[in-house]
């Protein structure tokens, strides 16, 4: 796999928190119980970190807050040096996000999906084409570049979503239930992709 990181890791640096959560509480309007109640959590940079819990446990709520889509009732979340409430644009720059619900346009080709995402992040022209090509090759999608996304299997779609999320060279990849609905072999394959991202690129992964 080719290197996807913006910068190669150099000399050892002190362990930094990729995510620092303090006293995080969220209560949806009119709900009886808070979805999150005083959560404290540090996720070290360069690790793969899994958040486990039953349905309704608050995982997606936490992801929405981390990705700046939802303002918490109380508490704070910092992504590296950026607070989600005061520096949301910087947080979004740091993050690659794969949401629980599929985010590909089935009518567009794999390449077009990548291009569209790149434009959203201000990438264009040759830089975008090359970056997309490296990522699609890395994820074993080179043969499917021109195919409509709607014709891909669930596992391949997931891979395109991850490739798409990495276009702007995020430092932290966040995935909400990335393997739900995938069969065990595809799950293993996805797991291998994520482990490689961590080991070769020093990517922090939260899922
Ligand atoms: P998980 O992702 O772990 O399944 P969620 O974060 O989706 O959990 O849900 C946590 C709790 O918040 C649940 O009790 C759920 O019913 C509630 N909840 C989630 N989204 C909303 C919403 N938009 N409005 C009201 N309550 C919600
Ligand atoms: Mg959820």
């Amino acid at each position: 796999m080719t290197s996807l990181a913006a910068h190669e890791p150099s000399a050892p640096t002190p362990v930094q928190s990729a995510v620092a959560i303090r006293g995080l509480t969220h209560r949806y309007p009119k709900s009886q119980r808070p979805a999150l109640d005083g959560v404290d959590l540090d996720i070290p940079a360069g690790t793969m970190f899994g958040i486990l819990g039953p349905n309704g446990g608050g995982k997606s709520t936490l992801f929405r807050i981390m990705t700046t889509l939802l303002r918490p009732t109380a508490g704070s979340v910092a992504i590296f040096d950026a607070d989600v409430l005061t520096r949301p644009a910087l947080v979004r720059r740091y993050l690659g996000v794969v949401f629980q619900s599929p985010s590909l346009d089935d009518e567009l080709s794999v390449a077009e999906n990548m291009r569209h995402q790149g434009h959203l992040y201000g990438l264009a022209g040759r830089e975008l084409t090359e970056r997309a090509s490296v990522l699609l090759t890395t994820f074993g999608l080179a043969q499917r570049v021109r195919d409509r996304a709607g014709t891909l299997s669930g596992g391949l779609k997931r891979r395109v979503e991850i490739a798409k999320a990495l276009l702007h060279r995020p430092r932290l990849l966040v995935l909400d239930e990335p393997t739900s609905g995938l069969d065990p072999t595809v799950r293993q394959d996805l797991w291998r992709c994520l482990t490689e991202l961590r080991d070769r690129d020093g990517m922090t992964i939260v899922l």
Side-chain angles (χ1 to χ4, degrees):
M1 185 164 116
T2 44
S3 176
L4 305 176
H7 309 285
E8 294 297 328
S10 47
T13 44
V15 176
Q16 184 192 17
S17 280
V19 183
I21 299 175
R22 298 288 175 272
L24 190 67
T25 296
H26 191 74
R27 189 182 290 276
Y28 289 100
K30 299 196 188 94
S31 62
Q32 309 261 323
R33 292 185 307 118
L36 298 170
D37 190 3
V39 176
D40 293 302
L41 180 65
D42 281 287
I43 300 176
T47 58
M48 175 144 62
F49 193 94
I51 296 171
L52 306 177
N55 286 337
K59 303 178 297 294
S60 291
T61 301
L62 179 60
F63 275 64
R64 273 179 227 129
I65 294 170
M66 282 175 57
T67 54
T68 76
L69 297 177
L70 181 68
R71 290 178 72 89
T73 312
S76 68
V77 177
I79 306 296
F80 296 101
D81 58 345
D83 186 279
V84 294
L85 289 177
T86 57
R87 309 287 306 279
L90 186 56
V91 168
R92 286 183 212 136
R93 175 69 191 76
Y94 287 157
L95 288 179
V97 184
V98 179
F99 285 103
Q100 190 165 357
S101 43
S103 66
L104 296 183
D105 188 329
D106 280 348
E107 300 303 318
L108 299 182
S109 71
V110 169
E112 286 164 342
N113 269 284
M114 295 290 279
R115 207 149 57 227
H116 184 58
Q117 171 89 358
H119 291 160
L120 293 177
Y121 280 93
L123 298 170
R126 193 158 162 192
E127 186 195 6
L128 172 54
T129 309
E130 285 175 2
R131 177 80 183 143
S133 164
V134 167
L135 285 165
L136 291 175
T137 302
T138 300
F139 286 96
L141 292 157
Q143 307 301 318
R144 309 298 302 267
V145 171
R146 285 182 194 79
D147 294 355
R148 257 189 342 114
T151 66
L152 302 185
S153 66
L156 289 186
K157 279 188 180 180
R158 270 295 188 224
R159 285 203 223 165
V160 178
E161 291 189 319
I162 296 173
K164 202 166 81 104
L166 295 173
L167 268 174
H168 65 290
R169 302 179 192 270
R171 297 171 71 181
L172 171 64
L173 181 63
V174 177
L175 311 97
D176 194 358
E177 312 253 6
T179 59
S180 69
L182 300 181
D183 64 46
T185 42
V186 178
R187 231 173 247 227
Q188 268 179 355
D189 170 68
L190 195 71
W191 212 248
R192 199 170 48 240
C193 287
L194 294 176
T195 310
E196 280 188 12
L197 277 174
R198 179 197 59 193
D199 294 345
R200 305 228 183 149
D201 300 312
M203 182 84 67
T204 311
I205 300 167
V206 178
L207 41 80

